Amino acid sequence: MSGSFPEDSLLDLFIFETLQSLQQHETLQPEDINLIFRIMHTIKGSAAVMGYTNISSLAHIMEDLFFYLRGHPDAPYNASELSDLILQGVNFTKLETIKIKNGDHADGDCALLAEELKAYLQFLKTGSAGTSEVRTPEEIALRTDIVHSEADLSKGASARFRAVLR
């Protein structure tokens, strides 16, 4: 992907840093709130600068969630539920970044997951999910196209998966 244009170098840097940050994120626990917040903050800003609004907006919502948890260390969150939602966000971001790396459009729709993250944040703030119906991770996964690997993505394959953490 390297070329003589500064945009190519910026794109290469964006892809490298985003994938490295996501790899680091996958090893963290929900208790690593400050580090997760910083990772999402960095991805949000980088994606916004590069014009990837779907990645930036999802990272912004995830950042908001961890900003709240940073300021409210006694918030009664369920680590399993939070991990499910965040890992879905990480998977979405990783797949969109792989699309970019392969020269494809980052056109994934994160609206449903963004709605779930906002509802979870609302629940943490008020004890109520508000007007948004909270769906199980299984229901979200059934409505989200996920590709199994970078090789599958380069072949244009599409698959659905369901991840359940216990």
Side-chain angles (χ1 to χ4, degrees):
M1 289 187 72
S2 297
S4 61
F5 298 105
E7 294 84 19
D8 290 340
S9 296
L10 289 175
L11 183 61
D12 289 342
L13 183 60
F14 167 76
I15 291 167
F16 176 78
E17 286 185 346
T18 300
L19 292 175
Q20 289 293 315
S21 294
L22 292 171
Q23 184 177 8
Q24 179 185 14
H25 191 291
E26 289 175 340
T27 65
L28 300 175
Q29 300 296 316
E31 296 80 27
D32 298 320
I33 291 168
N34 289 323
L35 187 52
I36 295 170
F37 171 82
R38 285 193 301 274
I39 289 171
M40 298 321 305
H41 178 76
T42 300
I43 291 173
K44 175 194 75 173
S46 298
V49 166
M50 297 301 294
Y52 300 117
T53 56
N54 61 347
I55 295 171
S56 179
S57 64
L58 186 63
H60 186 111
I61 295 165
M62 292 169 45
E63 177 191 33
D64 287 348
L65 179 58
F66 283 94
F67 180 80
Y68 179 80
L69 290 172
R70 280 175 31 153
H72 300 85
D74 296 329
Y77 66 90
N78 179 302
S80 178
E81 290 173 6
L82 181 59
S83 292
D84 286 347
L85 288 170
I86 297 304
L87 286 175
Q88 288 177 58
V90 167
N91 286 338
F92 175 86
T93 304
K94 183 184 286 184
L95 291 172
E96 291 301 289
T97 305
I98 291 170
K99 285 181 187 178
I100 296 164
K101 181 178 179 181
N102 291 336
D104 297 325
H105 295 286
D107 56 0
D109 183 18
C110 64
L112 182 62
L113 180 55
E115 182 182 312
E116 297 303 318
L117 287 162
K118 288 177 185 176
Y120 195 79
L121 178 57
Q122 178 68 20
F123 172 76
L124 290 177
K125 289 180 176 180
T126 66
S128 163
T131 59
S132 186
E133 177 187 338
V134 177
R135 293 172 190 87
T136 66
E138 291 85 4
E139 291 172 319
I140 295 170
L142 289 174
R143 296 182 60 189
T144 305
D145 286 333
I146 303 294
V147 177
H148 291 284
S149 71
E150 188 172 338
D152 290 341
L153 183 62
S154 65
K155 295 177 189 172
S158 179
R160 297 177 190 262
F161 85 105
R162 181 178 69 153
V164 178
L165 301 176
R166 298 187 195 281

